[in-house]
Amino acid sequence: MALATSKGASSSSSSLTGQSKNFDVFLSFRGEDTRWGFISHLYNALCQRGIHTFIDDKLPRGEEISAELLKIIENSMMSIIVFSENYASSTWCLDELTKIIECRKNNQLVRPVFYNVDPSEVRRQKEKFGEVLTNHEKKFNESKVRRWREALHEAANLSGWDYKKREYVEAMLDSCNLHPNIGIQRLIEKCLVTIDQFDKLWMHDLIQQMGREIVRQESPQLLGTRSRLWCYEDAFEVLTKNKGSDKIRGIVLRSLEPTKLQLEAKCLEKMENLKFLIIDNVEICGSLDYLPNDLRLLEWRGCTLSSLPSNFHPQKLIALNMPQSRVILDKLFKRIKCKNLTYMNFSSNQYIRELPDLLSAIPNVKKLNLRECRKLVKIHDSVGYLDKLESWDLWCCKELQILPSCIAMKSLKYLCFLGCNRVKRFPNIPQEMENLKFLSLKHTAIRELPPSIGNLTGLERLEIGSYFYSCQLPSSIYKLQHLRKLLLYGNVKFPKDVGIGRQAATCNSYSGFSKYFFPILNFLKKLTSCFTCSEKFLLSRSEDLNLREIIIRFNRLNWLLIRDSKFLKKIPNLPESIRRVDASNCISLNSESLRKLILQFGRILGLSPNMKCPSAKGNVLMDLHSHYKLSNQIDCSSRVSLSKFNVICDESFPTLDVYLVDYGEPCDIKVPGKKIPNWINHQSIESCISFWVGPEFPTIAVCVAFHLIPLKDNYANNDKYSSIQDDIIKWVCDIHIFTDSRKQCHMARVHLCDLKYDHLWFYGVPHSQLQTDFGDLMQGDRNHVKISCKISHWLSDKGKYAPVIAGMGVHVECICPPQNSIIIQENSQNVDEDTMLTPLLPTCSTSSFPTDLDAGDLSTSFSP
């Protein structure tokens, strides 16, 4: 028997192991269906591109896949699975597939090709796939067949190709970028670049500098003949002095300060091979008559042109990123057809009134961002049939009224209509859309959902309702058996007395609500029947608003969000499943309720409030009014604009998984307050704390006190301090851990948004998690640990207040050596627990409508 590879090698089975390393691509296929047609064409195309490919076209097929072949799969950089009609009839193929999916968990690239089969047949094991798997169950044990089924389902959910003719092979080879992917994988293996959990590519600064130096040395003197221009000054000179050439492949024109630039209309005409153009914070004055047709990436934030040049036909364009621009889409796509375009961002464009026919112009788009296009009124019917679209964001398109009559997007995972308060009708869903995981319809004018909502069978998170309209849900809502997070706003009405199988329950039965209707529900926001008052009183700022003790019966609840409830006085005992509570701006909560809440989280983490630090003999206290001395701690260099802050938030939540993730063990509380509880055994008015621990990383809980202080320029104008209610203050805080190993590890990040008072953030991680993530940093029996926190970015929209860290505490079982400690009490006469909640600023009347759930509600991460 012989093995063919892209290097033309052949060998006997005895040398199989020797060839099991360094393959670029492993091809998995059912030979009877594909060998002499599609596969041979694909294999030859890969060979011609120098891609080292393994194909087992002459191996004899036995009952069991060989250990050598498993090793080849394991050591390949990428696997391509060609699903054909009879693929599942081969147990050899199914074993290959199972191994491939196992290797994918170790970051191997995997891409499916659907050859004359529909992906849903593979995913759901219908028709021929279902028949052969049923037959396998008669011959093989249950666990083996179950593994095959799971592997088929996972592989069919991956992004791949659905081609029915062999001439599509060439098109399939640009559109997945096999070559770049393999090149990147080789760089990863050499530790030159890394890919994080959000699929972002990172490299060390020195590697980046080395690459730029290599480019500079291509042409030290003549800027116009370098392949890439990264430096603003270099790009400025080439563009303004018309020094460009066909050697240039990429230009980044990014200014630190807003800049106006006068260019010749044809300044890019000599750069016909330009592949990427990035313009940021630069306003191009006048017209632009030419853009190279070879562009793959066009990124131009704030573009003032109403249209792109009439001779611009970018057939190879992959990403069009033009937020805050003035480009009108119906003009653009009447003449531009971009079959390769997969990413389009026109967010905050206030000149788009209608979304035109995109199905013929950009049929393969995967991500469509139209956030805050506030003039957008109508969306063309064809947009509802973009079957490659995975993410569609229409957040806060306040004038939007007309949606497509139907949506049939088999690839769609994320759909957001949040804040589209003129949208009255949700489109019909004529066929099952099992990939849609996230749907936000909150703060729309939708009063009734269509029965076809039941076709969203894979939905995991649903946000629905408005404070202005009631919304009736159809009985088909109970088909959403994968729903894990349900956010209700205003008066959302559920159909009553609906049976599920043999069980029946009404939505007034709290245990039944989760157990029978939505079996895996673990997050619920604002179920109004949990409150003692009616919805009417809730909206009119009732002074008797309280959570009922019945909430403890929600025994799967892990996140409770009750922000901006100004009259909420106490939080009762919560279920043991709880892991996150956000009571931001709930200024009426009494100190006893908060004390019990934080103690409950301490018990969940396994931390006793009676742990003492041998080195401390008393509490570290600080006079609250002396916090004004903290004005010197304001880090003005970390202040950013609102748009920049939003970019930072987007980078923190770049994928759909963030909105669906179960936060698991880490505990998180946000509550109003000034004073760190006395029982936390390490406290400091600084932003770092040191302590000693043993050979294992123990359970820890961190408490950070945030204080809002007037900016110096506004002292004179803030004599009543009420102006904070008109300001928008947001910030990002990071916690880092340092140990004797001198390594710094990122422990957590929190986004705090629209806070009007001083707040406490309590964050805890159990021993098992910390030991897994940081245990390798421990050295010997005694380890010195330092935990620090820092406000990395902040904004004050009105420029009146700034957040600072007033102090922090760490509760940990330590082995600190005994020593005398200084008790700091600057005018802190009789400071008691009640002062923890007394607002520094007088309570002002505010809107009765709670703050929207935004990135700040999805803010805490645990990332070593």
Side-chain angles (χ1 to χ4, degrees):
M1 65 184 164
L3 293 176
T5 72
S6 63
K7 293 185 177 180
S10 62
S11 67
S12 66
S13 59
S14 62
S15 62
L16 196 74
T17 305
Q19 292 203 32
S20 66
K21 294 186 182 299
N22 300 325
F23 284 98
D24 294 329
V25 171
F26 178 90
L27 281 180
S28 176
F29 61 95
R30 180 74 166 122
E32 294 177 4
D33 295 343
T34 61
R35 179 179 289 126
W36 305 118
F38 179 83
I39 287 295
S40 61
H41 192 56
L42 173 60
Y43 172 70
N44 289 331
L46 290 167
C47 293
Q48 289 167 9
R49 284 163 175 76
I51 298 174
H52 191 33
T53 306
F54 179 88
I55 181 172
D56 59 343
D57 61 341
K58 295 183 180 178
L59 283 175
R61 302 284 171 154
E63 288 295 322
E64 296 289 336
I65 190 171
S66 67
E68 290 90 346
L69 196 58
L70 292 175
K71 196 70 175 176
I72 291 175
I73 296 172
E74 192 174 303
N75 287 309
S76 296
M77 291 184 182
M78 180 181 187
S79 289
I80 296 178
I81 311 158
V82 182
F83 287 118
S84 56
E85 185 181 21
N86 295 301
Y87 184 93
S89 63
S90 166
T91 59
W92 182 286
C93 285
L94 292 173
D95 283 338
E96 279 184 355
L97 175 65
T98 304
K99 180 63 176 178
I100 288 169
I101 295 301
E102 177 187 317
C103 292
R104 180 176 178 266
K105 294 174 182 175
N106 294 321
N107 296 321
Q108 186 181 99
L109 295 167
V110 179
R111 291 291 182 269
V113 177
F114 301 97
Y115 182 79
N116 288 328
V117 295
D118 192 279
S120 65
E121 292 179 32
V122 184
R123 185 183 307 115
R124 302 176 63 189
Q125 285 119 57
K126 299 193 306 184
E127 299 185 12
K128 190 68 175 287
F129 277 78
E131 292 173 13
V132 296
L133 285 164
T134 300
N135 291 332
H136 287 332
E137 286 173 340
K138 300 173 184 177
K139 301 178 182 178
F140 301 97
N141 65 62
E142 181 182 351
S143 63
K144 188 177 185 70
V145 178
R146 185 176 67 251
R147 286 196 300 273
W148 288 341
R149 286 187 180 275
E150 289 172 352
L152 285 164
H153 185 271
E154 183 171 343
N157 268 324
L158 297 175
S159 176
W161 305 280
D162 182 10
Y163 295 129
K164 297 180 172 58
K165 298 179 182 177
R166 51 182 290 185
E167 54 262 32
Y168 282 106
V169 169
E170 294 298 323
M172 181 190 78
L173 293 173
D174 288 346
S175 66
C176 152
N177 295 314
L178 288 180
H179 228 146
N181 280 336
I182 291 167
I184 289 170
Q185 188 64 33
R186 287 174 175 161
L187 292 174
I188 291 171
E189 289 178 354
K190 297 179 185 297
C191 300
L192 296 176
V193 299
T194 59
I195 296 179
D196 67 12
Q197 67 268 37
F198 301 122
D199 285 336
K200 280 200 170 184
L201 190 69
W202 296 89
M203 67 178 69
H204 194 282
D205 289 349
L206 292 176
I207 301 295
Q208 187 180 64
Q209 290 172 20
M210 180 181 70
R212 291 180 176 178
E213 177 60 20
I214 291 171
V215 170
R216 190 191 70 82
Q217 292 181 11
E218 292 174 348
S219 177
Q221 304 301 324
L222 298 176
L223 296 176
T225 57
R226 293 181 188 172
S227 61
R228 292 162 181 83
L229 298 172
W230 297 100
C231 175
Y232 174 78
E233 289 76 14
D234 293 347
F236 177 89
E237 181 173 342
V238 169
L239 290 172
T240 56
K241 296 183 179 180
N242 201 17
K243 293 183 177 180
S245 73
D246 60 2
K247 302 290 186 183
I248 298 177
R249 299 292 188 272
I251 293 178
V252 177
L253 186 67
R254 180 177 284 129
S255 174
L256 295 177
E257 299 293 334
T259 305
K260 288 189 176 182
L261 199 60
Q262 184 71 48
L263 298 180
E264 292 185 17
K266 297 183 182 295
C267 64
L268 295 170
E269 198 167 41
K270 298 178 183 178
M271 307 179 203
E272 59 186 28
N273 292 318
L274 196 68
K275 300 295 188 294
F276 68 86
L277 175 62
I278 299 173
I279 302 175
D280 189 15
N281 217 16
V282 177
E283 181 182 340
I284 306 296
C285 302
S287 62
L288 196 64
D289 290 348
Y290 177 82
L291 280 172
N293 288 330
D294 250 14
L295 278 175
R296 268 64 163 181
L297 165 65
L298 176 57
E299 181 174 319
W300 192 342
R301 186 181 299 271
C303 174
T304 57
L305 304 177
S306 64
S307 187
L308 299 181
S310 59
N311 57 358
F312 182 48
H313 298 285
Q315 299 298 319
K316 299 177 181 178
L317 194 67
I318 295 172
L320 186 58
N321 188 19
M322 303 187 74
Q324 301 167 13
S325 69
R326 299 182 183 179
V327 174
I328 301 173
L329 292 187
D330 55 352
K331 288 184 179 180
L332 181 66
F333 289 113
K334 277 181 180 177
R335 57 180 185 76
I336 287 183
K337 309 297 180 186
C338 300
K339 298 297 176 66
N340 290 313
L341 191 73
T342 58
Y343 176 85
M344 189 169 84
N345 178 7
F346 278 87
S347 61
S348 300
N349 182 315
Q350 308 311 330
Y351 294 81
I352 300 174
R353 296 187 178 275
E354 181 175 349
L355 200 62
D357 179 0
L358 299 183
L359 189 60
S360 58
I362 51 171
N364 296 308
V365 66
K366 291 184 177 180
K367 187 169 183 178
L368 184 57
N369 185 346
L370 297 167
R371 295 184 67 151
E372 292 194 284
C373 291
R374 295 177 183 268
K375 301 297 183 183
L376 178 63
V377 176
K378 181 181 179 181
I379 296 175
H380 194 277
D381 243 17
S382 66
V383 178
Y385 294 92
L386 290 169
D387 62 3
K388 300 293 176 57
L389 192 64
E390 296 178 3
S391 174
W392 190 13
D393 196 342
L394 291 155
W395 181 81
C396 223
C397 293
K398 292 188 175 295
E399 295 296 321
L400 182 61
Q401 298 180 44
I402 303 173
L403 301 180
S405 57
C406 296
I407 54 173
M409 302 170 167
K410 64 181 181 181
S411 302
L412 194 64
K413 299 177 182 177
Y414 175 96
L415 179 57
C416 180
F417 289 100
L418 189 159
C420 298
N421 48 25
R422 290 178 179 259
V423 170
K424 297 181 179 180
R425 185 189 62 82
F426 188 73
N428 185 43
I429 307 163
Q431 60 193 41
E432 191 172 310
M433 288 173 55
E434 60 182 340
N435 284 320
L436 189 65
K437 307 297 182 186
F438 176 100
L439 174 61
S440 178
L441 301 174
K442 72 178 179 182
H443 302 338
T444 65
I446 294 174
R447 300 191 183 195
E448 185 176 8
L449 286 180
S452 59
I453 197 75
N455 280 332
L456 304 180
T457 53
L459 197 65
E460 296 184 16
R461 174 170 172 144
L462 174 63
E463 303 177 355
I464 191 166
S466 165
Y467 296 108
F468 304 98
Y469 306 99
S470 63
C471 182
Q472 179 67 49
L473 302 180
S475 58
S476 59
I477 196 74
Y478 300 123
K479 292 182 179 180
L480 310 183
Q481 293 292 286
H482 289 93
L483 200 66
R484 293 194 282 123
K485 299 180 185 293
L486 178 60
L487 287 77
L488 309 175
Y489 298 81
N491 187 13
V492 180
K493 298 178 181 179
F494 284 81
K496 297 182 178 180
D497 300 315
V498 177
I500 303 296
R502 297 183 179 181
Q503 305 289 349
T506 69
C507 64
N508 292 322
S509 171
Y510 299 101
S511 59
F513 190 93
S514 175
K515 182 177 180 182
Y516 300 129
F517 290 169
F518 307 109
I520 60 174
L521 185 74
N522 58 20
F523 169 67
L524 184 64
K525 178 182 178 183
K526 296 190 186 306
L527 180 67
T528 54
S529 55
C530 283
F531 295 88
T532 55
C533 61
S534 69
E535 177 69 6
K536 178 179 178 181
F537 287 110
L538 177 61
L539 293 180
S540 59
R541 303 194 289 273
S542 166
E543 296 185 8
D544 294 323
L545 178 62
N546 274 303
L547 282 169
R548 294 174 58 188
E549 300 289 340
I550 196 73
I551 196 170
I552 201 169
R553 293 177 61 182
F554 285 86
N555 56 14
R556 298 181 64 88
L557 193 68
N558 66 16
W559 181 9
L560 178 66
L561 190 147
I562 43 177
R563 298 180 66 180
D564 300 287
S565 297
K566 298 290 189 269
F567 300 101
L568 183 67
K569 295 179 180 177
K570 74 171 187 175
I571 298 175
N573 288 334
L574 298 175
E576 288 300 311
S577 58
I578 201 74
R579 290 298 180 271
R580 303 188 71 204
V581 172
D582 186 347
S584 301
N585 292 329
C586 296
I587 198 63
S588 295
L589 280 171
N590 62 57
S591 58
E592 179 63 16
S593 180
L594 285 182
R595 186 182 70 83
K596 289 182 178 179
L597 177 66
I598 295 178
L599 283 173
Q600 178 179 0
F601 273 74
R603 287 195 303 272
I604 290 172
L605 289 166
L607 287 169
S608 168
N610 298 319
M611 293 188 306
K612 304 296 182 185
C613 174
S615 68
K617 290 189 176 180
N619 297 320
V620 178
L621 301 174
M622 183 177 179
D623 174 39
L624 300 173
H625 294 288
S626 69
H627 281 197
Y628 285 106
K629 297 176 183 177
L630 292 169
S631 61
N632 292 327
Q633 297 183 15
I634 297 175
D635 182 4
C636 292
S637 66
S638 60
R639 183 177 178 180
V640 296
S641 65
L642 180 59
S643 59
K644 177 65 175 176
F645 191 88
N646 289 337
V647 169
I648 293 167
C649 288
D650 289 343
E651 289 174 350
S652 299
F653 310 106
T655 65
L656 173 65
D657 292 340
V658 175
Y659 297 91
L660 302 176
V661 67
D662 286 325
Y663 287 90
E665 293 303 318
C667 293
D668 175 85
I669 306 175
K670 301 185 194 80
V671 291
K674 308 174 186 307
K675 182 176 173 295
I676 294 170
N678 292 336
W679 56 269
I680 292 181
N681 62 0
H682 296 75
Q683 298 194 29
S684 172
I685 59 172
E686 305 296 331
S687 57
C688 65
I689 285 177
S690 297
F691 51 89
W692 292 85
V693 297
E696 290 192 353
F697 215 109
T699 304
I700 60 172
V702 179
C703 189
V704 183
F706 297 105
H707 183 53
L708 300 175
I709 63 174
L711 289 165
K712 289 182 179 179
D713 295 342
N714 288 281
Y715 275 125
N717 300 324
N718 288 337
D719 53 332
K720 293 186 178 179
Y721 308 122
S722 61
S723 58
I724 193 173
Q725 302 295 336
D726 304 320
D727 206 352
I728 296 175
I729 305 165
K730 304 184 180 187
W731 65 94
V732 176
C733 181
D734 290 305
I735 294 179
H736 290 91
I737 289 180
F738 305 81
T739 69
D740 289 334
S741 66
R742 303 196 176 187
K743 291 183 179 179
Q744 172 183 344
C745 288
H746 186 226
M747 177 183 172
R749 164 168 283 190
V750 66
H751 293 68
L752 296 112
C753 298
D754 305 321
L755 300 189
K756 308 298 184 183
Y757 309 93
D758 296 343
H759 273 71
L760 297 176
W761 174 41
F762 180 91
Y763 183 77
V765 185
H767 169 262
S768 58
Q769 184 69 55
L770 283 165
Q771 183 62 21
T772 298
D773 293 315
F774 301 118
D776 61 336
L777 304 182
M778 311 305 278
Q779 298 179 347
D781 293 333
R782 288 176 59 81
N783 289 271
H784 186 252
V785 178
K786 183 173 80 170
I787 296 183
S788 70
C789 58
K790 180 183 180 182
I791 294 177
S792 56
H793 302 90
W794 64 277
L795 74 88
S796 174
D797 190 49
K798 305 295 183 183
K800 296 180 178 180
Y801 281 81
V804 296
I805 294 172
M808 68 175 293
V810 176
H811 197 58
V812 60
E813 188 168 2
C814 63
I815 56 170
C816 299
Q819 64 182 38
N820 293 328
S821 61
I822 299 173
I823 302 175
I824 302 174
Q825 285 184 303
E826 299 179 357
N827 303 319
S828 56
Q829 300 171 0
N830 300 319
V831 178
D832 58 23
E833 292 287 341
D834 286 334
T835 62
M836 187 167 81
L837 293 177
T838 307
L840 173 67
L841 307 172
T843 304
C844 303
S845 62
T846 58
S847 168
S848 60
F849 306 126
T851 304
D852 283 343
L853 182 72
D854 56 16
D857 300 314
L858 300 167
S859 55
T860 308
S861 62
F862 182 84
S863 52

